[in-house]
Amino acid sequence: MPNVKIDNFTFKYKNQKPLFKNMTCTFPDHNLSLLTGPSGCGKSTILKMIAGLAPSNWKTTTGKIYLGQRAITAVKPSERTPLVSMMFQDPNQQFVMQTVQEELTFALENIQVPASAIRDKITNALAFCEIPELCERQIISLSGGEKQKVVLAIMVALDSQIMLLDEPFASIDPMAKQAILAKLVELKTNYHKTIIIADHDLNGYQGLADKLFTVDSQRQTVVASAPQQISVILKQHQPVPLKFSLPALRQLPTFELLQFELLRSQRLLIQARSFRFYPGVTLLTGASGSGKSTLLKSLSRLTDYHGTILFQQRPLQKFKSQQLYHQLALVFQQAESQFLAVTVQEELELAYRHRLSTYWTTAKIQTVLTELKLTDTQDQVVYQLSGGQQKKLQVLLLLIRDPEVLLLDEPFAGLDVASIFSLEEILQKHFSTRGRSLIIVSHQLTEQHHFFQYHVHLQQQHLSYQEGLL
């Protein structure tokens, strides 16, 4: 089983300063290594280079990356899959077929697995990842978390020696995260895989990660923690209980669901005889695939539903599109789906031209760009930003539009704790304290006592207010 060795490596994108300078580190074989660091520091870039997926706009000046004794540049594309496979931060970038079974079949055919063996490999991979029920599902119908589980099943089926996972738990609930981590540990222990996970969120890794590597942006390198430090560091990132208020039932709701049913692929997701979302900042939680994202789409009239949704005391279907979308906006789970222009500056100018109020001035925008650490990105192409940088930009663009209600689907995915706090403060200062309402789906939870007012949990097709969350 090969080590992954990065030797005296310098990496930069064209027309940008180096991300890494003379970096040297080794990810040992038969280990689960955790790679962490702030949003935009280069974690995804490291994994892509290990996988031999050099970006089109890259330039290295020195150094090599080795898989065992072989430089990655010497490994032919046809030879890579048995050596290394990767789960991207956005799983949508990895799918080419319509159904889960077709996707797995396509992947196995590409590595010339005999047709007679494909069915068993698919069955075994889905069973190992505990998602056999997804086999016949259309990929477009899957939640973000379900898609990440499917990619893991593909990696299991491909049976690569080295498995790279880039922010694999951004859209997955904590219980599902622990279940997948247990599977990764099983792959390492029983099947002798080398696993490298890039993650900003260190919750749940206590006792599971063998090695911990941190990207040091100031020194443009990667630092390995001493073995005795790993447990101490990971203990500091254990989840803490959160407390929430219950809404005053006499206040007028923002949304009201009446005789409401939400289905996807003929599967009942949510049923509500009567349920209200109240003004303020509401956290919406539930298991991966339970229907949270689909609910946000129904509230913004982007998917069909049965029954009635009242928005501001009026049936949602009675609003003309322009009138509705002047009052509410949805931040999609995939940031790239929301961009319309090429560069960050062009996106900002477009949002500024179409803002619904004069609240956002150019001076305010520049201040917030600094707070989000996006100032140096303004000339960059939006699709070349890191996943975390894309998320921060996406939220800012919708804030500049300044609707009355914002629905946010996983706005903190790919963000480190400091970035989450900064984004929360901006949402609070520039939105919620101005009497505007937020409904936020998120699995990325920190000590957010000051931010969320209410907690709605989706379980077994029903919505309910909860006073606590662990």
Side-chain angles (χ1 to χ4, degrees):
M1 184 67 63
N3 288 328
V4 176
K5 183 179 180 181
I6 302 175
D7 184 31
N8 198 33
F9 192 77
T10 297
F11 175 90
K12 71 184 293 292
Y13 289 100
K14 291 177 182 178
N15 304 319
Q16 296 181 35
K17 66 180 183 180
L19 264 177
F20 304 106
K21 213 168 187 179
N22 302 322
M23 175 177 64
T24 296
C25 69
T26 298
F27 297 95
D29 66 339
H30 193 203
N31 272 237
L32 193 157
S33 297
L34 180 57
L35 176 63
T36 190
S39 305
C41 67
K43 301 187 297 296
S44 299
T45 298
I46 292 174
L47 295 193
K48 287 177 181 177
M49 299 304 291
I50 293 171
L53 302 174
S56 59
N57 63 329
W58 72 295
K59 180 182 180 183
T60 57
T61 54
T62 60
K64 289 185 178 181
I65 296 176
Y66 294 91
L67 304 183
Q69 301 301 313
R70 302 179 67 185
I72 186 63
T73 52
V75 179
K76 297 178 182 178
S78 59
E79 299 175 317
R80 285 181 194 155
T81 300
L83 277 177
V84 59
S85 58
M86 180 173 173
M87 178 189 294
F88 295 166
Q89 192 171 137
D90 180 0
N92 289 303
Q93 296 177 356
Q94 297 187 249
F95 297 125
V96 295
M97 307 301 285
Q98 290 188 335
T99 71
V100 172
Q101 180 171 302
E102 290 170 349
E103 190 68 38
L104 279 155
T105 301
F106 177 76
L108 293 170
E109 287 176 343
N110 273 345
I111 61 170
Q112 300 180 337
V113 172
S116 58
I118 286 178
R119 180 179 292 276
D120 283 346
K121 280 187 171 289
I122 291 174
T123 300
N124 293 337
L126 292 174
F128 181 86
C129 296
E130 299 181 358
I131 52 170
E133 72 281 1
L134 300 185
C135 185
E136 303 293 336
R137 290 272 299 275
Q138 296 277 325
I139 289 173
I140 196 172
S141 75
L142 302 179
S143 71
E146 288 171 330
K147 289 174 182 176
Q148 287 174 311
K149 293 177 185 178
V150 169
V151 175
L152 180 60
I154 293 170
M155 296 171 74
V156 169
L158 293 175
D159 199 27
S160 303
Q161 297 178 48
I162 300 165
M163 295 182 169
L164 311 175
L165 298 94
D166 189 8
E167 301 284 356
F169 309 116
S171 301
I172 290 180
D173 62 275
M175 288 186 63
K177 176 178 179 176
Q178 290 308 120
I180 291 176
L181 275 172
K183 292 297 181 183
L184 292 171
V185 170
E186 185 178 342
L187 286 168
K188 177 202 73 170
T189 305
N190 297 342
Y191 300 91
H192 313 297
K193 303 299 182 183
T194 298
I195 298 170
I196 305 173
I197 304 175
D199 202 343
H200 67 279
D201 181 1
L202 303 187
N203 283 340
Y205 287 100
Q206 176 70 14
L208 302 180
D210 302 301
K211 304 293 181 183
L212 177 63
F213 298 85
T214 303
V215 178
D216 186 331
S217 300
Q218 297 299 317
R219 292 193 288 160
Q220 299 174 315
T221 189
V222 171
V223 179
S225 298
Q228 62 270 23
Q229 293 178 318
I230 295 174
S231 180
V232 175
I233 293 170
L234 295 180
K235 277 183 180 178
Q236 298 171 354
H237 293 269
Q238 296 305 300
V240 297
L242 301 179
K243 298 295 183 182
F244 305 88
S245 301
L246 293 177
L249 302 182
R250 293 182 180 178
Q251 63 181 319
L252 294 176
T254 304
F255 291 99
E256 184 170 6
L257 312 180
L258 298 171
Q259 306 300 328
F260 178 82
E261 285 190 343
L262 188 60
L263 295 92
R264 184 178 61 197
S265 301
Q266 306 303 312
R267 184 168 63 99
L268 179 64
L269 296 176
I270 301 173
Q271 193 170 41
R273 186 173 61 84
S274 177
F275 188 85
R276 294 179 170 189
F277 287 94
Y278 292 95
V281 183
T282 300
L283 171 66
L284 176 58
T285 65
S288 303
S290 59
K292 303 181 300 298
S293 298
T294 310
L295 176 58
L296 292 193
K297 289 179 181 177
S298 71
L299 295 178
S300 50
R301 213 169 66 187
L302 295 179
T303 193
D304 293 333
Y305 57 88
H306 299 293
T308 300
I309 298 177
L310 299 180
F311 174 55
Q312 310 290 25
Q313 310 300 300
R314 183 180 170 194
L316 195 62
Q317 296 296 340
K318 297 292 185 182
F319 286 84
K320 293 182 179 179
S321 294
Q322 184 176 21
Q323 182 186 25
L324 178 64
Y325 298 125
H326 276 202
Q327 296 185 58
L328 71 85
L330 170 63
V331 173
F332 299 154
Q333 190 171 133
Q334 285 77 36
E336 290 185 353
S337 301
Q338 210 130 26
F339 297 138
L340 299 173
V342 176
T343 68
V344 172
Q345 185 59 39
E346 289 170 345
E347 283 285 355
L348 291 167
E349 290 172 355
L350 185 64
Y352 184 79
R353 286 199 303 272
H354 293 281
R355 69 197 194 282
L356 300 171
S357 75
T358 58
Y359 175 81
W360 283 92
T361 63
T362 53
K364 273 194 181 110
I365 293 171
Q366 287 303 315
T367 298
V368 172
L369 283 171
T370 301
E371 293 169 351
L372 293 175
K373 297 183 179 180
L374 292 175
T375 305
D376 295 336
T377 68
Q378 288 177 253
D379 294 328
Q380 290 187 38
V381 174
V382 291
Y383 306 104
Q384 293 172 354
L385 300 176
S386 73
Q389 289 171 327
Q390 287 183 348
K391 276 291 180 185
K392 290 189 281 188
L393 175 63
Q394 177 194 22
V395 175
L396 175 57
L397 295 174
L398 270 294
L399 282 176
I400 293 171
R401 182 166 174 77
D402 204 30
E404 292 292 325
V405 177
L406 257 182
L407 311 175
L408 298 97
D409 193 359
E410 298 290 357
F412 307 127
L415 299 185
D416 58 275
V417 173
S419 294
I420 291 175
F421 283 149
S422 294
L423 191 54
E424 287 174 356
E425 289 175 359
I426 289 164
L427 286 166
Q428 192 169 42
K429 177 180 178 181
H430 297 288
F431 199 80
S432 64
T433 56
R434 296 170 54 224
R436 285 155 162 72
S437 293
L438 297 161
I439 300 176
I440 301 176
V441 169
S442 181
H443 293 299
Q444 307 295 306
L445 300 176
T446 56
E447 297 182 37
Q448 301 163 335
H449 302 284
H450 68 288
F451 184 60
F452 292 111
Q453 295 168 263
Y454 311 122
H455 171 212
V456 173
H457 187 60
L458 173 56
Q459 186 175 22
Q460 296 180 342
Q461 294 109 28
H462 289 86
L463 298 161
S464 64
Y465 281 93
Q466 305 283 326
E467 292 185 87
L469 175 67
L470 178 59

